[in-house]
Amino acid sequence: MCRWLAYSGSPILLEELLYKPRFSLIDQSRHARMGVETTNGDGFGVGWYGLDGTAPTVFRGVGPAWGDVNLRELSASVSSPLFVAHIRASTGTPVQQSNCHPFRHGRWLWLHNGSVRQFATVKRDLVLAVDPELYPFIAGSTDSEVMFYLALTSGLHEKPVEAVERMVGFVEATGRRHGVEHPVQMTVATTDGDRVWAFRYSSEGNSRSLYYSTVVHTLRDMYPDNEILQRVSDETRIVVSEPLGELVGAWQPVPESSYGVIQKGADELAAFRPILP
Amino acid sequence: MCRWLAYSGSPILLEELLYKPRFSLIDQSRHARMGVETTNGDGFGVGWYGLDGTAPTVFRGVGPAWGDVNLRELSASVSSPLFVAHIRASTGTPVQQSNCHPFRHGRWLWLHNGSVRQFATVKRDLVLAVDPELYPFIAGSTDSEVMFYLALTSGLHEKPVEAVERMVGFVEATGRRHGVEHPVQMTVATTDGDRVWAFRYSSEGNSRSLYYSTVVHTLRDMYPDNEILQRVSDETRIVVSEPLGELVGAWQPVPESSYGVIQKGADELAAFRPILP
Amino acid sequence: MCRWLAYSGSPILLEELLYKPRFSLIDQSRHARMGVETTNGDGFGVGWYGLDGTAPTVFRGVGPAWGDVNLRELSASVSSPLFVAHIRASTGTPVQQSNCHPFRHGRWLWLHNGSVRQFATVKRDLVLAVDPELYPFIAGSTDSEVMFYLALTSGLHEKPVEAVERMVGFVEATGRRHGVEHPVQMTVATTDGDRVWAFRYSSEGNSRSLYYSTVVHTLRDMYPDNEILQRVSDETRIVVSEPLGELVGAWQPVPESSYGVIQKGADELAAFRPILP
Amino acid sequence: MCRWLAYSGSPILLEELLYKPRFSLIDQSRHARMGVETTNGDGFGVGWYGLDGTAPTVFRGVGPAWGDVNLRELSASVSSPLFVAHIRASTGTPVQQSNCHPFRHGRWLWLHNGSVRQFATVKRDLVLAVDPELYPFIAGSTDSEVMFYLALTSGLHEKPVEAVERMVGFVEATGRRHGVEHPVQMTVATTDGDRVWAFRYSSEGNSRSLYYSTVVHTLRDMYPDNEILQRVSDETRIVVSEPLGELVGAWQPVPESSYGVIQKGADELAAFRPILP
C-alpha cells in the first residue's frame, strides 16, 4: 500500500501540503489512518512543474519520507502550481530509487497505490505488450511502472482515460488467463502538467480510498477565517489517498470505479470502465 | 523510542530471534505493540561475539530493519552464543550509521532505549565529563552514546553496575542543574562478551518496558513439545524490550528501577540506585 | 568497467584478500590500475560459501566499497573456503543493490566485468529468450544479470562452459542482427560452491584483463618466507581482474578467448568458443 | 581532500557550473586533476540562495556526486544568483550527511577543503572553545564544521575576515600546544548570501589550490563568441578549487596566504594573517 497526493492551483510551497497540515502526507508515512498498512516507509517521491512549461523535476529517495532532510529542505523552497507526491509501502519489489513514484516519461508523471495481483506470474506477459520503443525506458521492477508503460503504449498522450481503461482491461484479461481472481487494485494519478487525471478502481469493486477537495469558493464560505483558502485561486484542487487536515466538509470521496479530471474550467467526474483487449 | 534484545546461550542463528518469532524484533520495527512509538524505522544494528574470544562484530544500517536485505542474509548465516540487536526511532538526532546502536568500545557493546531529556541543553556538560582519552572515540551525536562514554569513564570495565549508577547519577544531577525535571529515561543493555547487564530505570519511576526470559528448564516443562527449547542449553537467556513469540509464561518483567546480570551460574536481579556525583 | 576476484582454497578471512594486499580489491575501488575506468565506486558485493554446504550468503551495498564500514567489519569476521567479490563501475544502469554483483540463483553466483554493447537496443530480445520460469527472478536492470539468466536458461547447472558459450553466441547473434559490431565484452566468474569457472572473451578479441594465481607449491618455493603461502593448501587458487600484492611471478594472465576451471584435482584452461543459436 | 566552488552573479541554473563545463565539479568527483586525492566520492552538497532574501536551501548526499540522480535533477531546475557546491573526500570522519558541506547557520554557509591536522588530538580543546550557545548546533563530526563554529564564535557575522583569522590563530595555537607542526591546511568559502569570502591558507605555506575567475568584461573581449559570457552580468564571479572548462586566461590563482571578497562594486584581495589568541 502507498499514499499519494496531487495538487493543481495557485503556486504554493510544497511544504504547505507535505508537512503543514495535520495528517499531512509526511505524517502518513509513519501513521496512515485509512490504509491496509499504517507504515509507508519504503521510499518516496515528489514531482513538480515550474511556471515555464518545461518537463517536470522529480526528486525521489529510498528512506522513509518522515526522516528525509533533503525533502524537508526542498519542500520549504520549491513552489509549484502543479505537483504530486507519493510515499511507498513496498509489496515485495526492492526498495530502490527506480521503484519510487512518480514515474516520468517526457512531460508525464504517474503515481499508483495498489497492486497488480500475482505480479510475478503475469509480469512477463505484461512487459511483452509494452511498445518495444518504450521498453528500454522501464527502469525499475514494479507493477506500477509497467502499468504506466502499458498506458503509454495504449495512447496515454492522446486519450488518457481510454488508455488507462485499455491498460486495466489488458491487465485483467492477462491476470484471469493466469487464474488470478481480482487482478487489479488501484488508485492512479497521472498528469501532463496541464491536467490531472485521477482513477479509483479495483477488479473486486472495493478500491483503496481516494478523495478530492471541495471547490474552493464553497470552502471559503464555510471557513471565512481560513487564510490559505482566501489566498488560493478558485480552480485550486487537491486529490489525496486520505484527507489532510481537519476541515469538516473539505473532502469528497471519489466514487468506486470512477475517475476525475482536474483542468481549466469545470472539472469532470465519470465512470471508469476497463476496455478488454 | 527504540526496541532491543540481548541473547546469551547456546549458539543460534540470529534469524531465530530477529525474524522467526511472531512479534519478532524485525516485526517490531514496523509495528511495536508496547512502545510510545509504533514505528522504529530510523536504522538498526546487531552486534555479535564469535566462539573465538575476539572483539564483537557490528553491523549497522540507516534504513528500516524490516526492508534490509543484508540484515536478512546475515541473520540466516551468522550463528552466535551472545548477540544484541537494536531498532531505532530517532528522538531528533540524525539518522546515520554513527548514531545506530550497538555502540562498541573494545570488547564492550551498549544499547539504549529512552532518552536524556533536553539533551541539547545538557550535552556540553555531559561531554566535558567524558575522559579526554575516550572523548575522540565518540563518533555520533546521540545521548545514548554519551551515556556509554560516561559509563566507561566511570569504570564500566571494572564495576559495571556501579559505573552505570554513577553515570545516571551524574546525568540526573546535570539535568536538574539545568532545570530538567526527569532527566533520564532508559533501558540499557551492555556486555563484554561474557556477561550481559540489563538496566531498567527512569527519573520519574515509570520506565520503558523490559522483560527477561523464564529459565529454560521451567519452560521445557511447560512446553515439552517445543523443539527449540529442547535444543538450547539451561543457561540460555534473553532480555527484550517487549516479549517475542506467543508462549504464555515465557517472559518476566524486569521490575522498575532494577538491573539484571546474565552470567554463568545463577543470574542476578537487584535494585538500581543512581549514585550522585 | 568493474573489478572482481574469486577465491577457492583453505578457509581464510575475507579481509586477507579484500583489504590486506597492496593493490587489494578495495584499493581498486578507488584506484584501479589496469581498467578503462580508474574508479569503481558504484556499489559492491561479496558472496561466500560456508563449510556446511548451504547456499551462499550475499552482502551487497550501493556506496563505494572503500568507505563501507559494514564490509570492513564482516571481512574481519567471516571466513570462507570459497568466496567472490565485485566492485562496480556502472555503465549507465542505476546504482542500486539489485544491480550489484554477485547475482545469485540457488547455489550459483555470477560476476561480470564488461558490457553487452547497446544493451538498451537488444535488451528486449535477450530478456524474451530467458526461460519464462526464470524470468520472475530477474531483479535488477543490468546486462550482467540478463547474461546470467540466459546462461541458466542454456543449462548452466548441467554444462556450465557450454551454457556460457551458448549465451555468448546468442548475445552476439542478437547484437549483430541489430547492427552492433562487437556485442560482447566480458570477464565472467561463476560458481556452484564446488568449482569456479572463469571466462575471458570479447567479440573484438581484445578482452578485459584477467589473471589466475600461480600454483601454490611453486610460489612456496619462490617465497619460502611468505607466511600465508605456507598456511594455505596446495589447491588454493585465486582469479582476479588485476593482480593483487607485489609478489613477482604470482599471477598468470588468462589468455584471450579462453576459460579456466578451478576444482579438486587439476585445474583446466581451454579455448572459449561461442556457440551460435 | 575535497573540491568546491562558489558562484555569485546573474542567476543561472546550477547545472551550468556543476555539469556542463569540461572538468566540471561533478567530473572532479571522479577525476580531480590538481588535488592530492583524485577521487572525491564521499558525499557532496550544494547550497543556494533564492531571489527573495530568505535563508539558503541546502541539499546534501552521502553517495558520490557523479551518480546522484537527484542532484542531476535539481541542477537542471534550480536557478540561483549565489550558490556553492562541494564534493567530499573524507580524511577519516564518517561518510554521513551531517559531515557533508556546506554547513549552515542562519543565513551563513561554510565550505572547507583541507584539514585540521591530528584532529582527534585537538578536537576536545577546539570544541570547548565554541560558544556554549552555539555548541548544540554542531551536528556532525568533522574538523571543517568545528572550524565554522569557532569562526562564528569569533564574530563571523560582524567581521568575517578577522573572525576567520582568529579561528585559524586559535587552531594553530592549540595544535602547536599538542605538538602538531602544521596544524591548519585550508581553502575556505563562506557567504551570507550577499558577499562571498574565500580564503587560502596553510600553516606550512603550501596551501591547496584555489582560483577565481577573470573579470567578465576582460573575458568577453577575449572570447567575443562565447555565448554565456555575453549573457552574464559584469559582476559575475566564480571561485573554484581547480579551473573549470578550457578557456585560457579565465582563471587566476588566489595567492598563498590571502583571501578575496566577492561583493557589489570592486572585489577585494588581501593578505590573510592568523590572529593568535
Side-chain angles (χ1 to χ4, degrees):
Chain A
M1 201 208 69
C2 310
R3 308 272 83 179
W4 57 260
L5 68 75
Y7 173 88
S8 172
S10 305
I12 61 170
L13 287 173
L14 305 191
E15 69 177 5
E16 295 287 349
L17 289 188
L18 298 189
Y19 289 90
K20 291 197 173 169
R22 196 167 171 203
F23 315 124
S24 74
L25 195 72
I26 304 304
D27 284 344
Q28 294 174 31
S29 67
R30 211 178 322 211
H31 307 290
R33 294 175 297 158
M34 308 183 70
V36 291
E37 170 60 76
T38 57
T39 307
N40 296 281
D42 297 327
F44 65 87
V46 291
W48 65 90
Y49 295 83
L51 294 168
D52 57 358
T54 55
T57 301
V58 168
F59 174 70
R60 303 188 290 183
V62 296
W66 71 73
D68 196 88
V69 177
N70 287 322
L71 179 62
R72 191 72 198 81
E73 284 279 315
L74 292 172
S75 297
S77 77
V78 171
S79 180
S80 168
L82 198 164
F83 63 92
V84 297
H86 186 276
I87 51 176
R88 186 168 180 242
S90 168
T91 51
T93 43
V95 177
Q96 57 193 25
Q97 217 169 16
S98 59
N99 283 351
C100 292
H101 310 223
F103 301 101
R104 176 179 58 192
H105 188 78
R107 289 187 54 78
W108 287 76
L109 295 176
W110 178 273
L111 305 139
H112 170 229
N113 170 22
S115 64
V116 171
R117 297 220 173 77
Q118 291 181 229
F119 182 55
T121 305
V122 297
K123 183 177 180 182
R124 187 170 184 276
D125 287 356
L126 298 183
V127 165
L128 285 193
V130 170
D131 180 346
E133 299 285 311
L134 291 170
Y135 175 83
F137 294 100
I138 300 177
S141 57
T142 61
D143 49 358
S144 306
E145 190 187 22
V146 172
M147 290 165 84
F148 181 29
Y149 279 89
L150 285 171
L152 286 164
T153 299
S154 300
L156 188 68
H157 292 84
E158 294 78 35
K159 298 187 172 180
V161 173
E162 187 184 317
V164 175
E165 289 176 334
R166 286 189 189 283
M167 176 274 285
V168 170
F170 178 73
V171 175
E172 290 191 317
T174 305
R176 284 178 183 136
R177 213 174 58 236
H178 284 272
V180 183
E181 190 181 1
H182 299 306
V184 174
Q185 169 63 261
M186 74 180 211
T187 67
V188 159
T190 190
T191 173
D192 61 357
D194 288 319
R195 289 184 288 176
V196 178
W197 292 263
F199 302 86
R200 182 176 183 226
Y201 177 77
S202 58
S203 305
E204 65 268 42
N206 183 19
S207 304
R208 300 290 164 75
S209 61
L210 193 64
Y211 294 82
Y212 60 97
S213 58
T214 305
V215 291
V216 171
H217 64 79
T218 303
L219 284 174
R220 270 197 216 108
D221 290 350
M222 293 165 68
Y223 299 98
D225 298 334
N226 184 299
E227 192 211 342
I228 291 184
L229 290 172
Q230 308 310 314
R231 248 190 315 165
V232 299
S233 73
D234 279 4
E235 299 215 273
T236 295
R237 185 81 84 170
I238 311 172
V239 186
V240 290
S241 295
E242 58 185 76
L244 314 178
E246 299 175 289
L247 292 192
V248 174
W251 301 98
Q252 316 296 327
V254 175
E256 183 63 49
S257 300
S258 60
Y259 70 92
V261 191
I262 303 174
Q263 55 194 348
K264 287 199 178 58
D267 293 343
E268 283 174 43
L269 189 62
F272 178 84
R273 295 186 186 89
I275 300 172
L276 286 177
Chain B
M1 201 209 66
C2 311
R3 308 273 83 178
W4 58 258
L5 69 75
Y7 173 88
S8 172
S10 304
I12 60 169
L13 288 174
L14 306 190
E15 69 177 7
E16 295 287 350
L17 287 188
L18 299 189
Y19 289 91
K20 290 197 174 170
R22 198 170 169 200
F23 315 123
S24 75
L25 195 73
I26 304 305
D27 282 345
Q28 294 174 30
S29 68
R30 211 178 322 213
H31 307 291
R33 292 173 300 158
M34 306 185 70
V36 293
E37 169 61 76
T38 57
T39 307
N40 297 282
D42 298 327
F44 65 86
V46 292
W48 65 91
Y49 296 84
L51 293 169
D52 57 358
T54 57
T57 301
V58 170
F59 174 71
R60 304 188 289 183
V62 297
W66 71 72
D68 197 88
V69 177
N70 287 323
L71 180 61
R72 191 73 198 80
E73 285 280 316
L74 292 173
S75 298
S77 77
V78 171
S79 180
S80 168
L82 199 165
F83 63 91
V84 297
H86 187 277
I87 51 176
R88 187 169 179 242
S90 169
T91 52
T93 43
V95 177
Q96 57 195 24
Q97 217 168 15
S98 59
N99 284 351
C100 292
H101 310 223
F103 301 101
R104 176 180 57 193
H105 188 77
R107 287 187 55 78
W108 288 76
L109 295 176
W110 179 272
L111 304 141
H112 170 229
N113 170 23
S115 64
V116 172
R117 297 222 173 76
Q118 291 180 230
F119 181 56
T121 304
V122 298
K123 182 178 180 182
R124 188 171 182 275
D125 287 355
L126 298 182
V127 165
L128 285 192
V130 171
D131 180 346
E133 298 287 310
L134 290 171
Y135 176 84
F137 295 99
I138 301 178
S141 57
T142 60
D143 49 0
S144 307
E145 191 188 21
V146 172
M147 292 165 84
F148 181 30
Y149 278 89
L150 285 171
L152 287 164
T153 299
S154 301
L156 188 66
H157 293 82
E158 293 78 36
K159 298 186 172 180
V161 173
E162 187 184 317
V164 175
E165 287 175 334
R166 286 190 189 284
M167 177 274 286
V168 170
F170 178 73
V171 175
E172 288 191 319
T174 305
R176 284 181 182 132
R177 212 173 59 237
H178 285 274
V180 183
E181 192 180 0
H182 299 306
V184 173
Q185 169 65 260
M186 74 180 211
T187 67
V188 159
T190 190
T191 174
D192 61 357
D194 287 320
R195 288 184 288 175
V196 177
W197 292 262
F199 302 87
R200 182 175 184 226
Y201 178 76
S202 58
S203 306
E204 65 267 42
N206 184 17
S207 305
R208 299 291 163 77
S209 60
L210 193 64
Y211 294 82
Y212 61 98
S213 56
T214 305
V215 291
V216 171
H217 63 80
T218 303
L219 285 174
R220 271 196 215 109
D221 291 349
M222 292 167 68
Y223 299 97
D225 298 335
N226 185 299
E227 191 211 341
I228 291 183
L229 290 172
Q230 308 310 315
R231 249 189 314 163
V232 298
S233 73
D234 278 4
E235 298 216 274
T236 295
R237 185 81 86 170
I238 312 173
V239 186
V240 290
S241 294
E242 59 184 76
L244 314 178
E246 298 173 289
L247 292 190
V248 175
W251 301 98
Q252 317 294 329
V254 174
E256 184 63 48
S257 301
S258 60
Y259 71 90
V261 191
I262 302 173
Q263 56 195 346
K264 286 197 179 59
D267 294 343
E268 283 174 43
L269 189 60
F272 179 84
R273 294 188 186 87
I275 300 172
L276 285 178
Chain C
M1 203 209 65
C2 311
R3 307 273 84 178
W4 57 258
L5 70 75
Y7 173 88
S8 172
S10 304
I12 60 170
L13 288 173
L14 305 190
E15 68 178 5
E16 295 287 349
L17 288 188
L18 298 189
Y19 290 90
K20 291 197 172 168
R22 197 167 171 204
F23 316 123
S24 74
L25 195 74
I26 304 306
D27 283 343
Q28 294 174 31
S29 69
R30 209 178 321 211
H31 307 291
R33 294 175 297 158
M34 307 184 70
V36 293
E37 169 61 76
T38 58
T39 307
N40 296 283
D42 298 326
F44 65 87
V46 290
W48 66 89
Y49 295 82
L51 293 168
D52 58 357
T54 56
T57 302
V58 170
F59 174 71
R60 302 189 290 182
V62 297
W66 70 73
D68 197 88
V69 177
N70 288 323
L71 179 61
R72 189 74 197 79
E73 285 281 315
L74 292 173
S75 296
S77 77
V78 171
S79 180
S80 168
L82 200 166
F83 63 92
V84 297
H86 187 277
I87 51 176
R88 186 170 180 242
S90 169
T91 51
T93 43
V95 177
Q96 57 194 24
Q97 217 168 16
S98 60
N99 284 351
C100 291
H101 310 223
F103 300 101
R104 177 179 56 194
H105 188 76
R107 288 187 55 78
W108 287 76
L109 296 176
W110 178 272
L111 304 140
H112 171 229
N113 170 23
S115 64
V116 171
R117 297 221 172 76
Q118 291 181 230
F119 182 55
T121 305
V122 298
K123 182 177 181 183
R124 188 171 184 276
D125 287 356
L126 298 182
V127 166
L128 284 191
V130 170
D131 179 345
E133 298 287 311
L134 291 171
Y135 175 84
F137 294 99
I138 300 178
S141 57
T142 61
D143 48 1
S144 307
E145 191 186 22
V146 172
M147 290 165 84
F148 181 30
Y149 279 89
L150 285 171
L152 287 164
T153 300
S154 301
L156 188 67
H157 293 82
E158 293 80 33
K159 299 187 174 180
V161 173
E162 186 183 318
V164 175
E165 288 177 332
R166 286 189 189 285
M167 177 273 284
V168 170
F170 178 73
V171 175
E172 289 192 318
T174 305
R176 285 180 181 134
R177 212 173 60 237
H178 284 275
V180 182
E181 191 181 359
H182 298 305
V184 172
Q185 168 64 260
M186 75 180 210
T187 66
V188 158
T190 189
T191 173
D192 61 357
D194 288 319
R195 288 185 287 175
V196 178
W197 292 262
F199 302 86
R200 182 174 183 227
Y201 178 78
S202 59
S203 305
E204 65 268 42
N206 184 18
S207 303
R208 300 289 164 77
S209 60
L210 193 63
Y211 294 83
Y212 61 97
S213 57
T214 304
V215 289
V216 170
H217 63 80
T218 303
L219 284 174
R220 270 197 215 109
D221 291 349
M222 293 165 68
Y223 299 96
D225 298 335
N226 185 297
E227 190 210 341
I228 291 184
L229 291 172
Q230 309 310 316
R231 248 189 315 166
V232 299
S233 72
D234 279 3
E235 300 217 273
T236 296
R237 184 82 85 170
I238 312 172
V239 186
V240 290
S241 294
E242 58 184 76
L244 314 178
E246 298 174 288
L247 292 190
V248 175
W251 301 97
Q252 317 295 328
V254 175
E256 183 64 48
S257 300
S258 60
Y259 71 90
V261 191
I262 302 174
Q263 56 195 347
K264 287 199 179 58
D267 293 344
E268 283 174 44
L269 189 61
F272 179 84
R273 296 188 185 86
I275 300 172
L276 286 178
Chain D
M1 202 208 66
C2 310
R3 308 271 81 180
W4 58 260
L5 68 75
Y7 174 88
S8 172
S10 306
I12 60 169
L13 288 173
L14 306 191
E15 68 177 7
E16 296 286 351
L17 288 189
L18 297 189
Y19 289 91
K20 290 198 174 168
R22 198 168 169 202
F23 315 124
S24 74
L25 195 73
I26 304 305
D27 283 343
Q28 294 174 31
S29 68
R30 211 178 320 211
H31 306 292
R33 293 174 298 157
M34 308 184 69
V36 292
E37 170 59 77
T38 57
T39 307
N40 296 281
D42 297 326
F44 65 86
V46 292
W48 65 90
Y49 295 84
L51 294 167
D52 57 358
T54 55
T57 301
V58 169
F59 173 72
R60 302 189 290 183
V62 297
W66 72 71
D68 196 87
V69 176
N70 287 324
L71 180 62
R72 190 73 199 79
E73 285 280 314
L74 292 172
S75 296
S77 77
V78 170
S79 179
S80 167
L82 199 164
F83 63 91
V84 297
H86 187 277
I87 51 176
R88 185 168 181 244
S90 169
T91 51
T93 43
V95 177
Q96 56 193 27
Q97 216 168 16
S98 60
N99 283 351
C100 292
H101 309 225
F103 301 101
R104 176 178 58 193
H105 188 76
R107 288 187 56 76
W108 287 77
L109 295 176
W110 179 273
L111 304 140
H112 170 229
N113 170 23
S115 64
V116 172
R117 297 219 172 78
Q118 291 182 232
F119 181 55
T121 305
V122 298
K123 183 177 180 184
R124 189 171 183 273
D125 287 355
L126 299 183
V127 165
L128 285 192
V130 170
D131 181 346
E133 299 287 310
L134 291 171
Y135 175 84
F137 294 99
I138 300 177
S141 56
T142 62
D143 50 1
S144 307
E145 190 186 23
V146 172
M147 291 166 84
F148 180 30
Y149 278 89
L150 285 171
L152 287 163
T153 299
S154 300
L156 188 67
H157 292 84
E158 294 78 34
K159 299 185 172 181
V161 173
E162 186 183 318
V164 176
E165 289 176 333
R166 285 188 190 285
M167 177 273 284
V168 170
F170 178 74
V171 175
E172 289 191 321
T174 305
R176 284 179 183 135
R177 211 172 58 237
H178 285 274
V180 183
E181 190 180 0
H182 299 305
V184 172
Q185 169 63 262
M186 74 179 211
T187 65
V188 159
T190 189
T191 173
D192 61 357
D194 287 321
R195 288 185 288 175
V196 178
W197 292 263
F199 301 86
R200 181 173 183 228
Y201 178 78
S202 58
S203 306
E204 65 268 42
N206 184 19
S207 305
R208 300 290 163 76
S209 61
L210 194 63
Y211 294 83
Y212 61 97
S213 58
T214 304
V215 290
V216 170
H217 63 79
T218 303
L219 284 175
R220 270 196 216 110
D221 291 350
M222 292 166 69
Y223 299 96
D225 298 335
N226 184 298
E227 191 211 341
I228 291 183
L229 290 172
Q230 309 310 315
R231 248 189 314 163
V232 298
S233 74
D234 279 3
E235 299 216 273
T236 295
R237 185 81 86 171
I238 312 172
V239 186
V240 289
S241 295
E242 57 184 77
L244 315 178
E246 299 174 288
L247 291 191
V248 175
W251 301 98
Q252 317 294 328
V254 175
E256 184 62 49
S257 299
S258 61
Y259 71 91
V261 191
I262 302 174
Q263 55 194 349
K264 286 197 180 60
D267 294 343
E268 282 174 43
L269 188 62
F272 179 84
R273 294 188 186 87
I275 299 171
L276 286 176

